[in-house]
Amino acid sequence: MCCKVKVDNLKVENQVNPMGIDILKPRFSWTILSSNHNVLQTAYHIIVTDEQGIKVWNSNKVETDQSVWIEYNGSPLQSRTRYSWQVKIWDNHGNETDWSVPQNLEMGLLCKEDWLAAWIEPEQQEAVEEAEITVQDIFSGALKEESLEERTKNLHPPKRLRRLFTINKTVKKARLYMTSHGIYKLELNGRKLENIEFAPDFTAYNVHLQYQTYDVTGYINKGENALGVELADGWYIGRIQLTGHSCQYGNKLGVLLQLEIELEDGTKEIITSDEQFVSSSGPWQYADLFIGESYDARLEQENWSCAEYDAAEWTPVKRAEYSLGNLSAQYGPVVKAMEEIAPREIHYEEDGAQIIDFGQVIAGRMRIQMTVPRDTRIIFEHSEVLDENGKFFMNIMGRNKDQTNFYVAKGDDRETYEPSFVFHGFRYVRVTGHPTPIQTEDITAVVLYSDMEMTGNFTCSDERLNRLQQNIQWSQKTNMLSIPTDCPQRERAGWTGDIQVFAPTAAYNMDVSSFLTRWLKDVRLEQFPDGQIANYVPTGKYYVSESKASFGNLSSAGWGDAIIIVPWVLYERYGDTRILEENYTAMTKWLNYVRQTAESEIPDSLKDEQDAVRLNRQKYLWNTGFHFGDWLIPSMKDPIESALKTKELVATCFYANSALLLAKISIILGKKETAAMYEELNQQIRKAFEEEYIDKNGRVSSPTQGIYILALQMNMVSDSKRPLVVNQLAQLIKENGYKLDTGFLSIPYLMDVLCKEGEHETAYRLLFQTQCPSWLYEVENGATTIWESWSAIAPDGTVGYMSFNHYAFGCVGDWLYRYIAGINPGEPGYKTSIIEPHTDCGLTSAAAEINTKYGKLSSSWTKTDNLVTLIVEVPANTTATVVLSHKSNIRLNGTVLENDENERLQNQIGSGSYQFDFADNYVPQS
Ligand code: BGC
């Protein structure tokens, strides 16, 4: 026994004490704390016991250094059972830890038969389905203008449901399992349950509907009890996505719940959703996630979820038949109110409206306290930006994007209003009808996102880059509300391309592993039979017809490839191999679809081609159909132009890239022959690409910065032509005045490609550029999140009808962590890491730290003249290689180290903290 080493941060399936999971082989992880250096685990011992204290798994001592994702290997875990687990470890210094403090793991309802409850539906007017429209209709202005009043007059109100039950004995344990059609909130005996918003989360409901498990032991009284549910349209019925279409999953609100109460005397009571529930409309006229809500405080029903409330007027509910086949337990984080922000400024506009500026673009809603006469009607409109004259400006186009709430006051002294079933993307709130000046202490912005741990940060000596990093984190937090979205106002859709681009950055800033694992389940469940992966997931009922009408295709290069790239990032950053196994079939189906398309189709322009060699190589080129291409290239004013001009080359690059990744994944999963087949395919595609698209001067047939970047990054260029291609790219950037002209798909690789090809000076110039388009242009123009378009506010001050909160272009964050601060993953999950900071970048200091699955890994350097001090911290049970190039006088904790013959130092270190000192001899070119 010893006390120098201990296990900490015990998790199961990435959660502390998970409640109600349905993973039959959950995985255990821990970190190791030690005051020693060079600590490696040599063995572990896990014991799992059930509620009776019976051991269901005794791993015994397992000699291994594995301390993350250890799969349960005991007797089958049982429904609704709470298990307790402990671990101890041994290390390479001969230490054996104490047993950890016991942790819990509780299973949910593991099979359909466990559900005794039936779906119930309150009496309601069925939701009205809206007309189908295309994307073109939205942007061509062809949509019929309808007032908000007209559009909302048919919306149905949220519902309240309640049921009484009596418990006459002492409660030992009570669990509530629950889900809904729509989004819900729960109350028991007048008390709200936990800080959970928008349960049951947004998933592909028809095939995947999550139920949540609540510990309600302390909520139940001896005697009469009341259970209350509030239900609103949410994503199930409400208007969602770009086209603002309703009823994508159904048109009726419903509830499925089961309350299981174990009593001290060993008996059990089960209360289910049944005909004993009654329902009523609450104070809302409607509540729609996108449009907003209308709330009349005069209709509030005080104590509606208490037993003594008189519900004589409430109406009976009906049982409804739905299959339970789509149910699964909540996996990963729920949405919560995560932060609050006070206003920065409040001012009046000429018409008497008050504009509240919260100083930060967010996703969420506001809470206001007020004392106003009864019947006062107040309007709250939300927007991300003011116009060029400083006036309130609705920056979002499209159908049903109002983000407007109506409130009628009851006239109480200091009444509080916070909408329940809506969220908005905003920084500014325009308040109309509030009779007195609003005081800053009376209004607050409530920030909502999925409850994930912030795991990383990057800071440096340039405050503008620090703001950029904060903007990236803000765009991440506020676009990770239930699913990874493009933006939290206009579409709020799980665009596969956006997260594909952003996932590496996301995985530095936050622990996104369970969040993206859940979303990937929907991506594969919604894969089309021919292997296509949807452009956004969850898709909804109109996906196929709208995509065909709008684009002619159901998938796009660089978007569908998310099924390969996102699991790969999760494997690399978190060391999770199961994510590769789970998605492998979907990956191969996607690549087969691409392959078949490439092999069977040729572009119209080649229909009369006679050159047999050229015709023959077409089968390796994915050069037909619509793709979003290198989406949103700044110099092309129409996004569709950037799609059409780049799609052919972009698609083929992604085809090659995915084939290579799939080869690597196949090797990891032990499928060597398949790996060889994909490797061979990758080579053929690359060869065909070069022959078809790159001329003898290294010029590509549709020259944009992005195509050169992708061609270099994805090795579509032979070694002999590489310098020529690099030259073309450098030339284009120079001609563009060292400003960005890259779209969504190429930007993640821009800085890496330049730095790898010896153009790091060019990369630094792009990084510090302040003219439009550039990252710091946005920062210097007051951005608090990442904009959809670099010129969302143009240099002449014109404010665009764009989203001001799209994380895609924030993917440079990954490079800041990796290249400037120098933290790179080595073996998956940072079991090993490579610390290679670039102290020649023009900054005088930079620091990054990330909370890996093994613990804190950090790299921080400061530079005075040319003397650099680098502090590296490596978590226990991992090692790191510190790589320094072109440095002299290198010392490690005071001891002199020698460079190799290439002026490169590679020094392996174990866990602990280290100080390197050296001279950086790089002299920037003027
Ligand atoms: C979304 C994107 C998305 C794109 C497809 C847009 O409307 O906001 O972020 O990836 O469409 O090109």
Side-chain angles (χ1 to χ4, degrees), residues 523-533 555 560-561 563-564 582-597 622 655 658 662 666 674 677-678:
V523 177
R524 15 176 233 281
L525 285 172
E526 299 218 279
Q527 184 168 33
F528 294 99
D530 66 357
Q532 291 192 73
I533 292 286
S555 61
D561 294 282
I563 189 62
I564 297 177
E582 279 176 352
N583 291 290
Y584 188 71
T585 308
M587 295 177 188
T588 54
K589 275 170 72 183
W590 163 249
L591 207 69
N592 280 344
Y593 159 77
V594 177
R595 188 178 189 159
Q596 269 168 22
T597 311
W622 190 17
Y655 180 22
S658 281
L662 207 41
S666 300
T674 323
M677 184 264 287
Y678 287 128

Side-chain angles (χ1 to χ4, degrees), residues 336-341 362-365 445-449 474 478:
K336 290 188 174 178
M338 298 294 289
E339 300 176 42
E340 297 202 345
I341 301 178
I362 61 158
R365 54 201 184 212
V446 179
V447 188
L448 300 163
Y449 50 91
W474 271 109
T478 50

Side-chain angles (χ1 to χ4, degrees), residues 486 490-491 495 498 559 628 631 744 788 806:
D486 56 336
R490 187 184 63 217
E491 301 176 41
W495 283 94
D498 301 44
W559 270 253
F628 295 114
W631 184 246
F744 267 37
E788 176 177 21
H806 251 67

Side-chain angles (χ1 to χ4, degrees), residues 157-443:
K159 287 283 172 177
R160 279 182 173 156
L161 289 82
R162 57 178 258 129
R163 185 196 194 278
L164 295 172
F165 61 94
T166 309
I167 297 295
N168 289 324
K169 299 175 190 154
T170 310
V171 175
K172 187 172 139 209
K173 171 182 166 193
R175 295 290 184 268
L176 182 66
Y177 306 94
M178 156 135 205
T179 189
S180 63
H181 289 157
I183 46 179
Y184 72 83
K185 285 193 177 194
L186 263 176
E187 295 190 12
L188 251 163
N189 296 320
R191 281 169 69 194
K192 285 192 193 315
L193 242 78
E194 299 187 38
N195 169 14
I196 296 191
E197 301 286 340
F198 309 125
D201 265 315
F202 187 17
T203 52
Y205 296 128
N206 43 333
V207 282
H208 176 205
L209 174 64
Q210 297 188 119
Y211 66 87
Q212 290 68 44
T213 304
Y214 302 92
D215 179 356
V216 293
T217 313
Y219 287 75
I220 296 175
N221 301 330
K222 215 177 201 173
E224 209 169 21
N225 290 270
L227 174 60
V229 178
E230 288 176 324
L231 263 182
D233 285 357
W235 297 278
Y236 186 86
I237 296 173
R239 284 123 207 91
I240 56 173
Q241 301 156 349
L242 178 55
T243 55
H245 214 131
S246 61
C247 302
Q248 301 250 9
Y249 297 92
N251 59 7
K252 278 198 254 165
L253 297 164
V255 171
L256 178 76
L257 73 80
Q258 186 156 310
L259 170 58
E260 302 195 0
I261 306 169
E262 282 178 34
L263 302 157
E264 279 297 355
D265 67 358
T267 57
K268 196 167 174 177
E269 294 275 346
I270 299 185
I271 316 291
T272 63
S273 39
D274 59 14
E275 282 100 339
Q276 293 191 49
F277 272 87
V278 287
S279 86
S280 142
S281 295
W284 298 270
Q285 282 66 60
Y286 61 83
D288 182 87
L289 278 179
F290 280 55
I291 296 181
E293 72 174 34
S294 173
Y295 185 93
D296 189 339
R298 297 169 304 184
L299 306 177
E300 277 174 4
Q301 299 155 313
E302 222 178 308
N303 299 327
W304 68 275
S305 67
C306 296
E308 63 275 15
Y309 178 82
D310 177 7
E313 303 288 303
W314 292 38
T315 53
V317 302
K318 283 202 187 96
R319 277 175 83 105
E321 286 304 319
Y322 294 97
S323 146
L324 302 184
N326 58 349
L327 290 187
S328 59
Q330 173 84 30
Y331 188 85
V334 295
V335 179
K336 290 188 174 178
M338 298 294 289
E339 300 176 42
E340 297 202 345
I341 301 178
R344 174 193 281 186
E345 198 201 320
I346 302 179
H347 70 267
Y348 272 95
E349 285 199 335
E350 290 94 2
D351 64 358
Q354 300 184 60
I355 309 292
I356 323 289
D357 174 6
F358 286 103
Q360 175 62 54
V361 171
I362 61 158
R365 54 201 184 212
M366 54 100 241
R367 183 176 61 238
I368 184 167
Q369 282 197 320
M370 54 198 149
T371 304
V372 296
R374 189 174 169 85
D375 305 330
T376 308
R377 187 168 182 262
I378 306 174
I379 308 171
F380 301 93
E381 297 163 273
H382 299 75
S383 154
E384 292 178 326
V385 69
L386 300 179
D387 72 8
E388 41 276 40
N389 303 313
K391 294 272 183 302
F392 188 78
F393 177 77
M394 276 289 193
N395 58 307
I396 295 305
M397 284 175 81
R399 179 171 68 167
N400 295 328
K401 313 292 181 200
D402 308 83
Q403 305 206 114
T404 300
N405 301 324
F406 295 91
Y407 179 79
V408 180
K410 57 188 169 191
D412 275 7
D413 187 25
R414 296 195 73 66
E415 60 192 273
T416 301
Y417 173 53
E418 179 179 348
S420 301
F421 296 113
V422 295
F423 71 90
H424 317 294
F426 71 101
R427 166 175 167 170
Y428 300 93
V429 182
R430 176 181 149 96
V431 187
T432 315
H434 190 289
T436 52
I438 299 168
Q439 304 302 311
T440 47
E441 59 276 18
D442 287 339
I443 188 160

